Amino acid sequence: MAHESRAVSVLLNPPGYLLSYLWNGLKQAQGTTPEISSAAGSAVLWMEGVGLERLAADFPFVEFPELQLAYERGDAKEFPVVDGS
């Protein structure tokens, strides 16, 4: 499912569902739940534009790296790659 800059992919991963939450084509979070209602509810919230912290608060199976949260907040820092040769 995709709309504008957000998307959710849901894969059947017995005994549950594996979800990936994407923003601008990049995975922001993921999670696994055995309940189809939780999978659908979390997908709807993400597509409505809620942030990572709210998504994980409402659906505790959702996990995301702190770096993705920093990008969402706009305070991620980029560092140049240093060539060690």
Side-chain angles (χ1 to χ4, degrees), residues 8-9 18 25 38 48 50-51 69 78 83 85:
V8 177
S9 70
L18 174 63
S38 292
E48 288 177 346
V50 303
L69 183 59
E78 293 197 25
D83 185 3
S85 57

Side-chain angles (χ1 to χ4, degrees), residues 56-72:
D58 287 5
F59 296 95
F61 67 87
V62 175
E63 300 175 336
F64 57 89
E66 288 297 315
L67 179 59
Q68 298 316 104
L69 183 59
Y71 276 113
E72 181 179 87

Side-chain angles (χ1 to χ4, degrees), residues 15-33:
Y17 304 90
L18 174 63
L19 293 96
S20 294
Y21 307 85
L22 300 106
W23 177 60
N24 290 330
L26 300 172
K27 184 162 65 169
Q28 302 298 301
Q30 67 181 25
T32 302
T33 180

